Amino acid sequence: MTSLRLYNTLTRHLDEFVPGEPGKVKMYTCGPTVYARAHIGNFRTFMFSDLLRRYLAYKGYDVFWVMNITDIDDKTIKGAHAEGIPLRDYTSRYAEAFFNDCKTLNITPADLYPRATEHIEDMVHLVEELKTKGIAYEAEGSYYYKIGAFPAYGKFARLNMKEMMVGERVASDEYEKEDIRDFALWKGYEAEDGDVFWETSIGKGRPGWHIECSAMSLRYLGEDFDIHLGGVDLIFPHHQNEIAQTEGATGKRLARYWVHSEHLLIDGGKMSKSLNNFYTLDDLLEKGWKPREIRFALLAGHYRQRTNFSINSLEAVRASLARLDSCVRNQELATGSGAGQEVKDIIALRETEFQMAMDDDLNYPEALAAVFNLVRDLNKTCADGGIGPEERAIAMAALRRFDSVLGFLFSDEMETCVVCDDIEINSLVRQRDEARAAKNWAEADRIRDSLAEQGIVLEDRPGGMTVWRRK
RNA sequence: GGCGCCGUGGCCAAGUGGUUAAGGCGGAGGUCUGCAAAACCUCUAUUCAGCGGUUCGAAUCCGCUCGGCGCCUCCA
């Protein structure tokens, strides 16, 4: 098998992926801030981490995946206070919703979901370490990162700090900072924080945004781990600051590969909570879209390419999945005599194409083309009677293998007579078969039409078998 | 002001220097079928926003123009 190449934001090149420890991959994804329901744009990023995780596992790597839960920041505090409930209760509600959404979308669970509030000590130690090294300083109970003490600051994000435009948000921010571009590591307690604070060796307060990822990735993945993932909008400031913090404190590289996925657009623009132009998973489920249809749609397009999301695209997805479903059904129901080596050959060819595409910086669209070509090849072989019991087992195993990466080929939603024995429907199908045997076409069509009204589609297969499925 | 991305058939979307420009959706015709459904077959971009340049050769490299968009301390 060829090796995987990934576009590394660190080098801005396509780099061959070589894990730090042979056969093992340690990866970290910047997870959600649990102050509201995540929208499908957020899920595109998590879906991409899942795709990479699945493909690494497909290639035989033992993957250890950590995704943090940000449960302490301005918005979570504001939300909890607005409802007058403890921060933990407020954030748990959205964390649970997030886990449910991931499950619905068939996103592989991460091995660990550390919460920021459960790692305050680690963050405090990191701040102390930075202070000892003269990289952090205290001002009015808060601690700031002195970017002037980290010469490489700005390099990762390719920002020239001298020519940076200082926006209003920065200018209006904490004026006690030595340099307006310094960022908060620890925020000293203020009355508006209410009951949200920690009494620590560096004082009473709460952590800044970036320090949690430095602390938690260091704790669970160590120094210089393999892959760090996130959305492109995190390149600056979040990931730049993580690097400054971790590398400033440890003197070691934070991670070797940084992979960023592009945004999901809506109406040609960025989907974001602040613009209120987004769909949540529930919005789409309520409109009748199936989880796997949404998964397929969110996966569409290369991860480094912005992708426009539209209901229109879901319509096309539904038709594409129907094609994939019928291929699976064709294999399951094949009654051919077998073509032997031919089936192995076409699977080997398409699987090689699939791997070559995925190895090329996860070129998912091209990999999907290989899947559809396999579908055509298998359907054809099937129609030619080339799929017997042995070939069926080989074909199904191959489809399962592809699905370990894709996650939408097989699902409980694929309900046909093969996997579901609905007595009422089966009885009607039998009555129709009897009518057909008697060449009573009017009666046969009447039964088929009435089933169609219930969304049941019949297929008369060669050999006299009739199968049904829900539309 | 700085950094950067995109423009490929009716729609979505790969390809980024060299065989006939993947694949999906949609559309047209055909095979199969009692009729369907599904599947299969054929067709559906002489051309890659426009103009110039480099080259034996460009959708792919360079320049300009037009159009759309992202980041520059809330952000997936």
Side-chain angles (χ1 to χ4, degrees), chain A residues 39-207:
Chain A
H39 59 64
I40 57 169
N42 300 127
F43 282 111
R44 187 192 189 200
T45 296
F46 305 130
M47 192 80 86
F48 171 68
S49 286
D50 178 43
L51 183 70
L52 177 60
R53 201 218 83 90
R54 283 166 173 266
Y55 188 60
L56 288 166
Y58 168 93
K59 282 179 82 76
Y61 289 109
D62 180 6
V63 183
F64 187 66
W65 182 24
V66 176
M67 186 192 291
N68 69 293
I69 299 292
T70 299
D71 60 354
I72 166 78
D73 81 321
D74 292 355
K75 285 179 221 158
T76 50
I77 294 172
K78 201 175 158 193
H81 286 172
E83 291 190 27
I85 60 174
L87 181 69
R88 179 75 190 195
D89 292 353
Y90 182 80
T91 56
S92 288
R93 181 201 303 163
Y94 294 109
E96 285 313 309
F98 173 73
F99 293 137
N100 284 334
D101 286 353
C102 283
K103 192 173 179 217
T104 301
L105 288 169
N106 201 14
I107 291 172
T108 317
D111 295 284
L112 227 51
Y113 292 99
R115 287 171 177 248
T117 54
E118 292 170 4
H119 297 78
I120 300 295
E121 278 305 300
D122 288 343
M123 299 184 218
V124 167
H125 289 148
L126 213 47
V127 173
E128 283 173 333
E129 179 68 20
L130 288 167
K131 182 151 187 271
T132 303
K133 293 196 166 163
I135 300 172
Y137 61 90
E138 189 257 327
E140 296 177 26
S142 290
Y143 285 77
Y144 297 96
Y145 190 100
K146 189 190 290 186
I147 68 161
F150 189 72
Y153 193 86
K155 189 178 165 217
F156 177 74
R158 305 278 153 124
L159 288 177
N160 184 333
M161 298 313 288
K162 290 198 181 77
E163 291 174 13
M164 236 176 79
M165 189 171 80
V166 176
E168 284 178 30
R169 276 178 293 186
V170 184
S172 64
D173 211 1
E174 298 96 335
Y175 46 79
E176 64 269 26
K177 291 193 285 193
E178 287 177 6
D179 185 310
I180 205 148
R181 298 163 306 176
D182 290 348
F183 61 93
L185 294 164
W186 181 261
K187 297 183 175 184
Y189 183 75
E190 287 178 16
E192 61 191 41
D193 292 340
D195 58 351
V196 179
F197 63 84
W198 284 264
E199 290 282 7
T200 73
S201 53
I202 56 172
K204 178 180 177 179
R206 60 188 174 97

Side-chain angles (χ1 to χ4, degrees), chain A residues 80-368:
Chain A
H81 286 172
E83 291 190 27
I85 60 174
L87 181 69
R88 179 75 190 195
D89 292 353
Y90 182 80
T91 56
S92 288
R93 181 201 303 163
Y94 294 109
E96 285 313 309
F98 173 73
F99 293 137
N100 284 334
D101 286 353
C102 283
K103 192 173 179 217
T104 301
L105 288 169
N106 201 14
I107 291 172
T108 317
D111 295 284
L112 227 51
Y113 292 99
R115 287 171 177 248
T117 54
E118 292 170 4
H119 297 78
I120 300 295
E121 278 305 300
D122 288 343
M123 299 184 218
V124 167
H125 289 148
L126 213 47
V127 173
E128 283 173 333
E129 179 68 20
L130 288 167
K131 182 151 187 271
T132 303
K133 293 196 166 163
I135 300 172
Y137 61 90
E138 189 257 327
E140 296 177 26
S142 290
Y143 285 77
Y144 297 96
Y145 190 100
K146 189 190 290 186
I147 68 161
F150 189 72
Y153 193 86
K155 189 178 165 217
F156 177 74
R158 305 278 153 124
L159 288 177
N160 184 333
M161 298 313 288
K162 290 198 181 77
E163 291 174 13
M164 236 176 79
M165 189 171 80
V166 176
E168 284 178 30
R169 276 178 293 186
V170 184
S172 64
D173 211 1
E174 298 96 335
Y175 46 79
E176 64 269 26
K177 291 193 285 193
E178 287 177 6
D179 185 310
I180 205 148
R181 298 163 306 176
D182 290 348
F183 61 93
L185 294 164
W186 181 261
K187 297 183 175 184
Y189 183 75
E190 287 178 16
E192 61 191 41
D193 292 340
D195 58 351
V196 179
F197 63 84
W198 284 264
E199 290 282 7
T200 73
S201 53
I202 56 172
K204 178 180 177 179
R206 60 188 174 97
W209 171 34
H210 319 292
I211 196 76
E212 55 168 297
C213 287
S214 285
M216 297 190 288
S217 66
L218 205 50
R219 165 165 291 273
Y220 297 110
L221 300 174
E223 295 167 346
D224 201 24
F225 62 88
D226 296 306
I227 309 173
H228 191 125
L229 297 120
V232 283
D233 53 346
L234 295 185
I235 293 173
F236 192 85
H238 189 55
H239 290 165
Q240 175 63 77
N241 290 353
E242 268 185 74
I243 287 172
Q245 290 165 344
T246 300
E247 300 188 359
T250 67
K252 301 270 177 55
R253 187 166 47 183
L254 193 162
R256 304 205 320 288
Y257 300 88
W258 288 77
V259 183
H260 293 95
S261 51
E262 259 295 350
H263 283 142
L264 193 65
L265 307 182
I266 188 157
D267 299 327
K270 182 174 166 178
M271 182 182 293
S272 74
K273 288 174 187 162
S274 51
L275 293 173
N276 207 253
N277 60 347
F278 58 86
Y279 289 107
T280 62
L281 183 56
D282 282 351
D283 290 339
L284 297 176
L285 294 174
E286 276 164 22
K287 287 177 194 285
W289 298 101
K290 301 283 194 326
R292 61 199 287 257
E293 292 169 342
I294 300 165
R295 180 180 173 88
F296 191 107
L298 291 181
L299 240 20
H302 187 89
Y303 80 94
R304 282 196 288 121
Q305 209 64 48
R306 288 178 199 131
T307 297
N308 203 39
F309 180 85
S310 69
I311 294 297
N312 217 26
S313 65
L314 281 169
E315 302 280 359
V317 160
R318 183 165 281 180
S320 296
L321 282 170
R323 179 167 163 74
L324 296 173
D325 288 351
S326 76
C327 177
V328 171
R329 207 162 50 239
N330 286 339
Q331 309 314 308
E332 284 177 328
L333 301 171
T335 53
S337 52
Q341 191 60 33
E342 194 190 316
V343 175
K344 288 182 188 164
D345 289 346
I346 59 177
I347 289 170
L349 169 68
R350 299 311 179 187
E351 193 155 15
T352 298
E353 289 174 355
F354 179 81
Q355 287 167 195
M356 283 176 71
M358 291 297 280
D359 278 341
D360 183 18
D361 196 27
L362 263 61
N363 190 334
Y364 173 85
E366 204 167 295
L368 192 61

